[in-house]
Short mmCIF file of all heavy atoms in Angstrom, two decimals:
data_model
loop_
_atom_site.label_atom_id
_atom_site.label_comp_id
_atom_site.label_asym_id
_atom_site.label_seq_id
_atom_site.Cartn_x
_atom_site.Cartn_y
_atom_site.Cartn_z
N VAL A 1 0.85 -1.19 0.00
CA VAL A 1 0.00 0.00 0.00
C VAL A 1 0.88 1.24 0.00
O VAL A 1 1.76 1.39 0.86
CB VAL A 1 -0.94 0.02 1.22
CG1 VAL A 1 -1.84 1.26 1.19
CG2 VAL A 1 -1.78 -1.26 1.27
N GLY A 2 0.65 2.14 -0.97
CA GLY A 2 1.40 3.39 -1.02
C GLY A 2 1.96 3.66 -2.39
O GLY A 2 1.87 2.84 -3.31
N GLY A 3 2.56 4.83 -2.55
CA GLY A 3 3.16 5.21 -3.82
C GLY A 3 2.14 5.72 -4.82
O GLY A 3 0.99 5.99 -4.50
N ARG A 4 2.60 5.85 -6.06
CA ARG A 4 1.78 6.42 -7.12
C ARG A 4 1.52 5.39 -8.21
O ARG A 4 2.41 4.64 -8.61
CB ARG A 4 2.50 7.63 -7.72
CG ARG A 4 1.79 8.29 -8.89
CD ARG A 4 2.64 9.42 -9.49
NE ARG A 4 2.61 10.62 -8.67
CZ ARG A 4 3.68 11.27 -8.22
NH1 ARG A 4 4.90 10.81 -8.50
NH2 ARG A 4 3.55 12.37 -7.50
N GLY A 5 0.30 5.34 -8.69
CA GLY A 5 -0.05 4.56 -9.87
C GLY A 5 -0.22 5.48 -11.06
O GLY A 5 -0.53 6.67 -10.89
N VAL A 6 0.00 4.97 -12.27
CA VAL A 6 -0.17 5.78 -13.47
C VAL A 6 -0.99 5.02 -14.49
O VAL A 6 -0.98 3.78 -14.52
CB VAL A 6 1.18 6.21 -14.07
CG1 VAL A 6 1.95 7.12 -13.12
CG2 VAL A 6 2.03 5.01 -14.46
N SER A 7 -1.69 5.76 -15.33
CA SER A 7 -2.48 5.17 -16.41
C SER A 7 -2.21 5.92 -17.69
O SER A 7 -1.81 7.10 -17.68
CB SER A 7 -3.98 5.26 -16.08
OG SER A 7 -4.29 4.65 -14.85
N GLY A 8 -2.44 5.25 -18.82
CA GLY A 8 -2.26 5.89 -20.11
C GLY A 8 -3.00 5.18 -21.20
O GLY A 8 -3.54 4.09 -21.01
N THR A 9 -3.01 5.79 -22.38
CA THR A 9 -3.72 5.21 -23.51
C THR A 9 -2.92 4.12 -24.20
O THR A 9 -3.48 3.38 -25.00
CB THR A 9 -4.06 6.31 -24.53
OG1 THR A 9 -2.84 6.97 -24.91
CG2 THR A 9 -5.01 7.34 -23.94
N ALA A 10 -1.63 4.03 -23.91
CA ALA A 10 -0.78 3.03 -24.56
C ALA A 10 -0.65 1.78 -23.69
O ALA A 10 -0.54 1.88 -22.47
CB ALA A 10 0.60 3.61 -24.83
N PHE A 11 -0.66 0.61 -24.33
CA PHE A 11 -0.28 -0.63 -23.63
C PHE A 11 1.24 -0.59 -23.55
O PHE A 11 1.93 -0.70 -24.56
CB PHE A 11 -0.77 -1.85 -24.40
CG PHE A 11 -0.54 -3.14 -23.66
CD1 PHE A 11 -1.56 -3.72 -22.92
CD2 PHE A 11 0.70 -3.77 -23.68
CE1 PHE A 11 -1.36 -4.90 -22.22
CE2 PHE A 11 0.92 -4.94 -22.98
CZ PHE A 11 -0.12 -5.51 -22.25
N LEU A 12 1.77 -0.45 -22.36
CA LEU A 12 3.19 -0.18 -22.19
C LEU A 12 4.02 -1.45 -22.31
O LEU A 12 3.90 -2.36 -21.49
CB LEU A 12 3.43 0.49 -20.84
CG LEU A 12 4.88 0.90 -20.56
CD1 LEU A 12 5.40 1.84 -21.64
CD2 LEU A 12 4.98 1.56 -19.19
N ALA A 13 4.85 -1.48 -23.33
CA ALA A 13 5.81 -2.57 -23.53
C ALA A 13 7.16 -1.97 -23.89
O ALA A 13 7.86 -2.46 -24.77
CB ALA A 13 5.33 -3.52 -24.62
N ASN A 14 7.53 -0.89 -23.20
CA ASN A 14 8.75 -0.14 -23.50
C ASN A 14 9.55 0.03 -22.22
O ASN A 14 9.19 0.84 -21.36
CB ASN A 14 8.38 1.22 -24.09
CG ASN A 14 9.59 2.01 -24.54
OD1 ASN A 14 10.55 2.17 -23.80
ND2 ASN A 14 9.54 2.53 -25.75
N PRO A 15 10.63 -0.74 -22.04
CA PRO A 15 11.42 -0.66 -20.81
C PRO A 15 11.96 0.73 -20.53
O PRO A 15 12.06 1.15 -19.37
CB PRO A 15 12.55 -1.66 -21.04
CG PRO A 15 12.02 -2.61 -22.06
CD PRO A 15 11.14 -1.79 -22.95
N GLY A 16 12.31 1.47 -21.60
CA GLY A 16 12.85 2.81 -21.41
C GLY A 16 11.82 3.76 -20.81
O GLY A 16 12.13 4.54 -19.90
N TYR A 17 10.59 3.68 -21.29
CA TYR A 17 9.55 4.56 -20.76
C TYR A 17 9.15 4.12 -19.35
O TYR A 17 8.84 4.94 -18.50
CB TYR A 17 8.33 4.56 -21.68
CG TYR A 17 7.36 5.69 -21.36
CD1 TYR A 17 7.65 6.99 -21.75
CD2 TYR A 17 6.19 5.45 -20.67
CE1 TYR A 17 6.79 8.03 -21.45
CE2 TYR A 17 5.32 6.48 -20.36
CZ TYR A 17 5.62 7.77 -20.77
OH TYR A 17 4.76 8.80 -20.46
N ARG A 18 9.18 2.80 -19.11
CA ARG A 18 8.91 2.30 -17.76
C ARG A 18 9.92 2.89 -16.77
O ARG A 18 9.56 3.35 -15.69
CB ARG A 18 8.98 0.78 -17.74
CG ARG A 18 8.71 0.16 -16.37
CD ARG A 18 9.04 -1.31 -16.39
NE ARG A 18 10.47 -1.54 -16.41
CZ ARG A 18 11.09 -2.48 -17.12
NH1 ARG A 18 10.41 -3.28 -17.91
NH2 ARG A 18 12.39 -2.61 -17.07
N THR A 19 11.19 2.90 -17.14
CA THR A 19 12.24 3.47 -16.29
C THR A 19 12.02 4.96 -16.07
O THR A 19 12.20 5.47 -14.95
CB THR A 19 13.63 3.21 -16.90
OG1 THR A 19 13.84 1.81 -17.04
CG2 THR A 19 14.73 3.81 -16.04
N TYR A 20 11.62 5.67 -17.12
CA TYR A 20 11.31 7.09 -17.02
C TYR A 20 10.20 7.35 -16.00
O TYR A 20 10.29 8.25 -15.18
CB TYR A 20 10.91 7.59 -18.41
CG TYR A 20 10.27 8.96 -18.47
CD1 TYR A 20 11.02 10.13 -18.29
CD2 TYR A 20 8.91 9.08 -18.76
CE1 TYR A 20 10.42 11.38 -18.38
CE2 TYR A 20 8.31 10.32 -18.85
CZ TYR A 20 9.06 11.47 -18.66
OH TYR A 20 8.47 12.71 -18.76
N LEU A 21 9.15 6.52 -16.04
CA LEU A 21 8.05 6.68 -15.09
C LEU A 21 8.50 6.43 -13.66
O LEU A 21 8.06 7.11 -12.73
CB LEU A 21 6.91 5.72 -15.45
CG LEU A 21 6.16 6.00 -16.75
CD1 LEU A 21 5.12 4.91 -17.00
CD2 LEU A 21 5.50 7.37 -16.73
N TYR A 22 9.36 5.45 -13.49
CA TYR A 22 9.84 5.15 -12.14
C TYR A 22 10.81 6.23 -11.64
O TYR A 22 10.70 6.70 -10.51
CB TYR A 22 10.52 3.79 -12.10
CG TYR A 22 10.98 3.42 -10.70
CD1 TYR A 22 10.05 3.18 -9.69
CD2 TYR A 22 12.33 3.34 -10.39
CE1 TYR A 22 10.46 2.87 -8.39
CE2 TYR A 22 12.75 3.03 -9.11
CZ TYR A 22 11.82 2.80 -8.11
OH TYR A 22 12.22 2.50 -6.83
N ASP A 23 11.74 6.64 -12.50
CA ASP A 23 12.74 7.62 -12.08
C ASP A 23 12.13 8.99 -11.78
O ASP A 23 12.56 9.67 -10.85
CB ASP A 23 13.82 7.78 -13.16
CG ASP A 23 14.72 6.56 -13.27
OD1 ASP A 23 14.70 5.72 -12.36
OD2 ASP A 23 15.44 6.46 -14.29
N ASN A 24 11.14 9.40 -12.57
CA ASN A 24 10.60 10.75 -12.44
C ASN A 24 9.34 10.84 -11.59
O ASN A 24 9.04 11.90 -11.04
CB ASN A 24 10.31 11.33 -13.83
CG ASN A 24 11.59 11.64 -14.58
OD1 ASN A 24 12.24 12.64 -14.33
ND2 ASN A 24 11.95 10.75 -15.51
N LEU A 25 8.59 9.74 -11.50
CA LEU A 25 7.34 9.78 -10.75
C LEU A 25 7.32 8.78 -9.59
O LEU A 25 6.35 8.74 -8.84
CB LEU A 25 6.15 9.48 -11.68
CG LEU A 25 5.92 10.46 -12.83
CD1 LEU A 25 4.74 9.99 -13.68
CD2 LEU A 25 5.67 11.86 -12.30
N GLN A 26 8.35 7.95 -9.49
CA GLN A 26 8.36 6.86 -8.51
C GLN A 26 7.09 6.01 -8.64
O GLN A 26 6.51 5.56 -7.65
CB GLN A 26 8.51 7.39 -7.08
CG GLN A 26 9.84 8.09 -6.81
CD GLN A 26 9.90 9.47 -7.45
OE1 GLN A 26 9.03 10.30 -7.21
NE2 GLN A 26 10.90 9.72 -8.27
N ALA A 27 6.64 5.83 -9.88
CA ALA A 27 5.43 5.05 -10.14
C ALA A 27 5.65 3.60 -9.76
O ALA A 27 6.74 3.04 -9.94
CB ALA A 27 5.04 5.15 -11.61
N GLN A 28 4.60 2.98 -9.21
CA GLN A 28 4.65 1.59 -8.80
C GLN A 28 4.02 0.66 -9.83
O GLN A 28 4.44 -0.48 -10.00
CB GLN A 28 3.91 1.41 -7.46
CG GLN A 28 4.48 2.25 -6.34
CD GLN A 28 5.90 1.87 -6.00
OE1 GLN A 28 6.20 0.70 -5.77
NE2 GLN A 28 6.80 2.85 -5.98
N VAL A 29 3.00 1.15 -10.54
CA VAL A 29 2.18 0.30 -11.38
C VAL A 29 1.60 1.13 -12.51
O VAL A 29 1.40 2.34 -12.37
CB VAL A 29 1.06 -0.35 -10.52
CG1 VAL A 29 0.18 0.70 -9.88
CG2 VAL A 29 0.23 -1.32 -11.31
N VAL A 30 1.35 0.50 -13.66
CA VAL A 30 0.78 1.20 -14.80
C VAL A 30 -0.37 0.37 -15.38
O VAL A 30 -0.28 -0.85 -15.49
CB VAL A 30 1.84 1.48 -15.89
CG1 VAL A 30 2.50 0.19 -16.39
CG2 VAL A 30 1.24 2.26 -17.06
N ASP A 31 -1.45 1.06 -15.72
CA ASP A 31 -2.58 0.40 -16.37
C ASP A 31 -3.21 1.37 -17.37
O ASP A 31 -2.63 2.43 -17.66
CB ASP A 31 -3.61 -0.11 -15.35
CG ASP A 31 -4.29 0.99 -14.56
OD1 ASP A 31 -4.44 2.12 -15.07
OD2 ASP A 31 -4.71 0.74 -13.41
N MET A 32 -4.40 1.02 -17.86
CA MET A 32 -5.05 1.85 -18.88
C MET A 32 -6.41 2.38 -18.44
O MET A 32 -7.19 2.83 -19.28
CB MET A 32 -5.19 1.05 -20.18
CG MET A 32 -3.87 0.57 -20.75
SD MET A 32 -4.05 -0.50 -22.21
CE MET A 32 -4.66 0.69 -23.42
N GLU A 33 -6.69 2.33 -17.12
CA GLU A 33 -8.02 2.75 -16.67
C GLU A 33 -8.07 3.56 -15.38
O GLU A 33 -8.87 4.50 -15.26
CB GLU A 33 -8.93 1.51 -16.45
CG GLU A 33 -9.21 0.68 -17.66
CD GLU A 33 -8.11 -0.34 -17.94
OE1 GLU A 33 -7.41 -0.75 -16.98
OE2 GLU A 33 -7.95 -0.72 -19.11
N THR A 34 -7.25 3.22 -14.38
CA THR A 34 -7.54 3.68 -13.02
C THR A 34 -7.46 5.19 -12.84
O THR A 34 -8.28 5.78 -12.11
CB THR A 34 -6.62 2.99 -12.01
OG1 THR A 34 -6.71 1.58 -12.16
CG2 THR A 34 -7.02 3.35 -10.59
N ALA A 35 -6.51 5.88 -13.46
CA ALA A 35 -6.41 7.32 -13.27
C ALA A 35 -7.65 8.03 -13.82
O ALA A 35 -8.10 9.03 -13.25
CB ALA A 35 -5.14 7.86 -13.93
N ALA A 36 -8.21 7.53 -14.92
CA ALA A 36 -9.44 8.11 -15.45
C ALA A 36 -10.60 7.85 -14.50
O ALA A 36 -11.42 8.75 -14.24
CB ALA A 36 -9.74 7.51 -16.82
N PHE A 37 -10.69 6.65 -13.98
CA PHE A 37 -11.67 6.29 -12.96
C PHE A 37 -11.53 7.22 -11.75
O PHE A 37 -12.52 7.71 -11.19
CB PHE A 37 -11.43 4.83 -12.59
CG PHE A 37 -11.92 4.36 -11.26
CD1 PHE A 37 -13.18 3.79 -11.13
CD2 PHE A 37 -11.11 4.41 -10.14
CE1 PHE A 37 -13.63 3.31 -9.90
CE2 PHE A 37 -11.54 3.93 -8.91
CZ PHE A 37 -12.81 3.38 -8.79
N ALA A 38 -10.28 7.50 -11.35
CA ALA A 38 -10.02 8.36 -10.21
C ALA A 38 -10.46 9.80 -10.47
O ALA A 38 -10.96 10.48 -9.57
CB ALA A 38 -8.53 8.33 -9.86
N GLN A 39 -10.28 10.26 -11.71
CA GLN A 39 -10.71 11.62 -12.04
C GLN A 39 -12.23 11.74 -11.97
O GLN A 39 -12.76 12.75 -11.50
CB GLN A 39 -10.22 12.03 -13.43
CG GLN A 39 -10.61 13.46 -13.80
CD GLN A 39 -9.89 13.99 -15.01
OE1 GLN A 39 -8.78 13.53 -15.34
NE2 GLN A 39 -10.48 14.95 -15.69
N VAL A 40 -12.95 10.72 -12.44
CA VAL A 40 -14.41 10.72 -12.33
C VAL A 40 -14.83 10.74 -10.86
O VAL A 40 -15.74 11.48 -10.46
CB VAL A 40 -15.02 9.50 -13.05
CG1 VAL A 40 -16.53 9.43 -12.82
CG2 VAL A 40 -14.73 9.57 -14.56
N ALA A 41 -14.16 9.94 -10.03
CA ALA A 41 -14.46 9.93 -8.60
C ALA A 41 -14.24 11.31 -7.99
O ALA A 41 -15.07 11.80 -7.22
CB ALA A 41 -13.60 8.88 -7.89
N TYR A 42 -13.12 11.94 -8.35
CA TYR A 42 -12.81 13.26 -7.81
C TYR A 42 -13.85 14.29 -8.24
O TYR A 42 -14.32 15.10 -7.42
CB TYR A 42 -11.42 13.69 -8.27
CG TYR A 42 -11.03 15.07 -7.83
CD1 TYR A 42 -10.52 15.30 -6.55
CD2 TYR A 42 -11.16 16.16 -8.70
CE1 TYR A 42 -10.16 16.58 -6.14
CE2 TYR A 42 -10.81 17.44 -8.29
CZ TYR A 42 -10.32 17.65 -7.02
OH TYR A 42 -9.97 18.91 -6.62
#
């Protein structure tokens, strides 16, 4: 429990971009739905 999750329109299969997300956002997990779901909730 904790940290930041990220979502996007792309199915992520790019190790370089994964590293970018971790290095700059300390992201823990990536999917294609939850952040949009979270914005609707907010």
